[in-house]
Amino acid sequence: MMRNLNLPVMIGILFSAIGLVTLVMLGQPLTAAIWLSFGNGLLLTSLRFKRVNEFGDLEQQPVPKARFYAGILLIVMAGILLILQIIQDLQKMPAQS
């Protein structure tokens, strides 16, 4: 099990946990969506499983294309949400004279 946890998977778990805490403790849904989207995107694109082949050896399965594309979509959506968050924060700033 631990061999499946490479660096992108661990970062994905960390980002997803930060997103969950942001949503539950701080109640900021947009910020939480950014963290969760990026973390889950990393998990979907990086997590690989092993199976026993017909010879009894363990082999690593490739990441299915649908899961890979869904992960890329989540990472892109995190970027779009981050831009939206920046625009929203800039609109809340008072005008400087």
Side-chain angles (χ1 to χ4, degrees):
M1 171 77 183
M2 289 301 288
R3 293 184 181 153
N4 290 343
L5 298 179
N6 54 18
L7 185 62
V9 171
M10 287 189 277
I11 292 171
I13 292 171
L14 176 69
F15 284 3
S16 295
I18 290 171
L20 183 62
V21 168
T22 302
L23 182 63
V24 172
M25 301 292 280
L26 302 176
Q28 298 179 353
L30 184 58
T31 306
I34 295 167
W35 285 102
L36 285 167
S37 183
F38 191 73
N40 289 333
L42 280 175
L43 284 173
L44 284 176
T45 57
S46 302
L47 189 60
R48 293 175 179 243
F49 297 106
K50 293 184 180 181
R51 68 173 177 188
V52 178
N53 64 8
E54 61 272 4
F55 303 113
D57 298 326
L58 276 178
E59 66 179 9
Q60 199 164 24
Q61 292 180 290
V63 176
K65 288 196 182 296
R67 199 175 86 194
F68 181 77
Y69 292 138
I72 294 296
L73 178 71
L74 282 171
I75 292 171
V76 169
M77 188 169 56
I80 293 169
L81 289 172
L82 182 60
I83 291 169
L84 180 66
Q85 177 76 44
I86 291 170
I87 291 170
Q88 194 177 48
D89 288 345
L90 287 175
Q91 288 176 348
K92 288 181 182 178
M93 289 179 56
Q96 304 216 354
S97 32

